[in-house]
Amino acid sequence: MTTTVLDAVVRLLRDTGMTTVFGNPGSTELRMFRNWPDDFTYVLGLQESSAVAMAAGHALGTGRAAFVSLHSAGGVGHALGAVFNAHRDRVPLVIVAGQQARSLLQLRPFLGADEPDQFPRPYVKSARQPARAADVPAVLAEMHRIAMTPPRGPVFVSVPEDDWDQAAEPVEPRTVHSGYTADPDALAALAARLDTCARPALVIGPGVDDEAALPEAVALAERLRAAVWISPMSGRSGFPESHPYFQGFLPPVAGQLATRLEPYDVVVSLGAPVFTYHVADDSPPLAPGTELFHLDCDPAQAPWLPTGTSLVTTLRPALAQLTALVRRSDREPPPARRQPAPVTAGEDLTPELVLDQLHRRLPRDRVLVEETPSHRDALHARVPINLSGGFLTTGSGALGWGLPLAVGRALADRRRVVCVLGDGSALYSVQALWTAVRHRAPVTFIVLDNGGYAAVGALGRRIGITPVPGTDIGDIDFTGLAASFGCQADYADRPADLARALDRAVTSLGDDDGPHLLHLRVTGTEGVLYEPWTG
């Protein structure tokens, strides 16, 4: 019996653990679904960007690459915002897009993609349309290995729709051991500098969480008695925020960031872009006298850094070696992080009150997904994360990521996820509620509704633009919208109703219950971002 491309790909997907397929099907993908295997799960997203974000959440939860099926050129175009996020956040995805039949490509057919391997670049690690149908399984196997090799990320394959029925050879599984370590002499030099410095600090980037290196980062911080910060706009956590050495989150503004790091003579950045800025100013990246070392697995990060010394390395082996090389320090430990005062209930339902009460109810092992740009700083200050893999957001800024990301993350291990969203963010991908209901994803969605894109308005005011057009939304009935998708929902706009609503949405729901949305109309906010500055 002849083995087809489809037969070989199905076997490859089983071998690589990619039996949950996320997508939105169309005519150019139909042949891929012939005799769909009983042991595969198809997770339908009602829009392609939601399908990609759900796949990303699943990949982050399982630690394996996720498989995504997109519909031709239009589907790839719809999905590119989420592909951009996956690329910047180093999420391993194998993305396959349908293409018209090879015999039609010269005729510029309906739904055909011109230069399909160029379309998603530069936001994929690699992109191909195989030269022959028989090459499709081998190309997909290679792409899977590329996606999973540090720095991990999405890859893309365009498959003409008539390839699936053609003959092809099966692909044997391969193993790639991808951990690698910096030059021993470079690590020894860094250890020597850390032994002689007076005030060291670590900057924890998303790479620490991505490489499951949190224990190694904690061990190094404790051996050095170093202050610990989270890198600007990080899509992960990477360090227990209740640890006495934890200092907070660096702002994405050069002057403010340099001020935060000015007390330290040596700063070691671990798995972070150095540095991610959101607002331009004329400040240098670091104050004079602060020396920077940068450890990351991506060789593309090292050349463009404006200052410091880079060590290209994966983190777990490098941190283990570095911790063994440095002397245990007896220097004074860093001061304790200043905690915000608890908010007392008044007449208004404020984001700070919501977040304080959420913190009291959030179990330590609960994964928190965030996409509320106006209130991210308040969330970081009031809801500490101590769990490896316990915090997910977008580190790149394309909205619509959080809601479907939470759905995919919940489907990865069927443990309840709490997702805190802004109203503007939720509306980018609200159709993912349908998928959450269909698969009974255990997610609690908390929508902090401030009536618009308050973060954009705040940035506008700081550069003298007021009012900012197009930033008001308001009057969206999220409970009715959720109910239309079959999702249970509650609403509150008074402090007196908050405890009951959070108890129902967070405390009383278990992992076997389906999704629930809590719509909270919050006031007393103008979209505060970072801290006030002059520019």
Side-chain angles (χ1 to χ4, degrees):
M1 183 176 178
T2 302
T3 299
T4 66
V5 169
L6 178 59
D7 296 332
V9 169
V10 167
R11 175 176 163 179
L12 172 68
L13 296 181
R14 282 200 186 98
D15 289 341
T16 54
M18 295 190 294
T19 56
T20 300
V21 176
F22 298 83
N24 184 281
S27 56
T28 54
E29 295 78 55
L30 287 177
R31 294 173 191 257
M32 188 177 74
F33 301 120
R34 192 192 304 277
N35 300 321
W36 186 246
D38 292 338
D39 59 323
F40 279 43
T41 300
Y42 189 88
V43 179
L44 172 62
L46 301 186
Q47 208 268 1
E48 285 90 345
S49 64
S50 291
V52 171
M54 288 189 291
H58 196 266
L60 293 173
T62 62
R64 302 188 303 268
F67 190 84
V68 188
S69 170
L70 302 179
H71 178 41
S72 196
V76 176
H78 289 159
L80 279 179
V83 174
F84 167 74
N85 279 342
H87 175 72
R88 289 290 178 87
D89 292 350
R90 299 182 179 178
V91 183
L93 302 176
V94 177
I95 302 169
V96 171
Q99 169 69 300
Q100 269 291 7
R102 289 181 186 268
S103 60
L104 292 177
L105 292 181
Q106 180 59 30
L107 304 177
R108 301 296 192 273
F110 183 71
L111 291 174
D114 297 331
E115 301 185 54
D117 59 327
Q118 298 300 313
F119 195 3
R121 295 178 188 271
Y123 299 115
V124 290
K125 290 185 68 179
S126 184
R128 297 267 298 278
Q129 179 168 288
R132 305 178 304 157
D135 297 332
V136 169
V139 168
L140 279 171
E142 179 187 354
M143 287 296 194
H144 174 263
R145 294 190 290 269
I146 292 172
M148 288 297 291
T149 301
R152 304 192 305 172
V155 295
F156 176 84
V157 181
S158 171
V159 180
E161 62 98 14
D162 52 348
D163 281 6
W164 296 102
D165 295 333
Q166 304 303 309
E169 292 297 322
V171 179
E172 293 301 320
R174 282 190 58 208
T175 299
V176 176
H177 295 287
S178 55
Y180 54 88
T181 313
D183 178 76
D185 290 342
L187 286 171
L190 173 56
R193 183 67 186 94
L194 288 169
D195 283 341
T196 59
C197 73
R199 296 174 305 281
L202 304 182
V203 174
I204 303 294
V208 171
D209 192 70
D210 187 54
E211 298 184 41
L214 183 147
E216 289 80 5
V218 171
L220 179 62
E222 292 178 346
R223 193 166 182 86
L224 294 172
R225 293 193 174 184
V228 179
W229 295 84
I230 300 291
S231 65
M233 309 301 288
S234 177
R236 318 276 181 92
S237 180
F239 198 86
E241 296 170 25
S242 297
H243 194 285
Y245 295 175
F246 182 66
Q247 302 296 294
F249 296 78
L250 291 172
V253 185
Q256 294 180 24
L257 187 151
T259 298
R260 300 286 203 286
L261 297 180
E262 188 173 10
Y264 312 109
D265 53 346
V266 173
V267 172
V268 181
S269 173
L270 304 174
V274 183
F275 290 106
T276 300
Y277 299 128
H278 190 197
V279 178
D281 67 13
D282 296 327
S283 303
L286 291 172
T290 299
E291 187 177 0
L292 175 67
F293 292 85
H294 172 239
L295 279 65
D296 191 69
C297 65
D298 186 0
Q301 289 282 352
W304 58 262
L305 296 179
T307 186
T309 299
S310 289
L311 285 70
V312 179
T313 181
T314 54
L315 293 177
R316 291 182 67 186
L319 291 178
Q321 292 180 44
L322 188 59
T323 302
L325 288 170
V326 297
R327 295 195 301 266
R328 183 173 296 279
S329 175
D330 59 358
R331 62 173 61 91
E332 284 295 315
R337 180 190 182 195
R338 187 175 63 182
Q339 300 297 323
V343 174
T344 56
E347 295 182 0
D348 294 329
L349 185 59
T350 65
E352 292 77 13
L353 179 64
V354 172
L355 295 169
D356 277 352
Q357 295 212 19
L358 173 63
H359 176 219
R360 298 188 193 113
R361 292 166 172 81
L362 196 67
R364 287 180 58 90
D365 63 348
R366 188 74 76 236
V367 173
L368 181 68
V369 176
E370 175 269 325
E371 192 174 74
T372 175
S374 299
H375 313 305
R376 177 181 286 188
D377 282 359
L379 183 143
H380 282 325
R382 296 177 181 276
V383 187
I385 304 298
N386 296 293
L387 176 69
S388 179
F391 176 75
L392 302 173
T393 186
T394 170
S396 50
L399 293 183
W401 183 247
L403 196 157
L405 186 80
V407 175
R409 177 61 186 84
L411 293 178
D413 59 8
R414 308 297 310 188
R415 292 195 304 156
R416 180 156 294 274
V417 171
V418 172
C419 178
V420 181
L421 300 159
D423 50 323
S425 299
L427 290 169
Y428 275 79
S429 51
V430 72
Q431 68 272 33
L433 290 175
W434 181 90
T435 307
V437 171
R438 186 175 182 85
H439 292 270
R440 290 190 58 78
V443 188
T444 293
F445 303 100
I446 300 175
V447 179
L448 301 181
D449 180 1
N450 58 19
Y453 303 117
V456 179
L459 287 172
R461 286 190 296 275
R462 287 177 174 176
I463 59 175
I465 301 173
T466 182
V468 179
T471 55
D472 294 328
I473 306 175
D475 301 322
I476 302 293
D477 180 6
F478 282 95
T479 58
L481 191 56
S484 73
F485 290 114
C487 180
Q488 297 184 23
D490 284 328
Y491 172 82
D493 59 8
R494 300 186 308 160
D497 299 326
L498 179 61
R500 176 196 58 81
L502 285 174
D503 284 341
R504 174 170 164 76
V506 178
T507 309
S508 66
L509 293 176
D511 296 340
D512 295 329
D513 297 310
H516 187 97
L517 184 142
L518 174 57
H519 177 195
L520 299 176
R521 189 89 66 177
V522 295
T523 59
T525 175
E526 294 184 343
V528 177
L529 288 177
Y530 327 128
E531 66 178 23
W533 75 88
T534 58

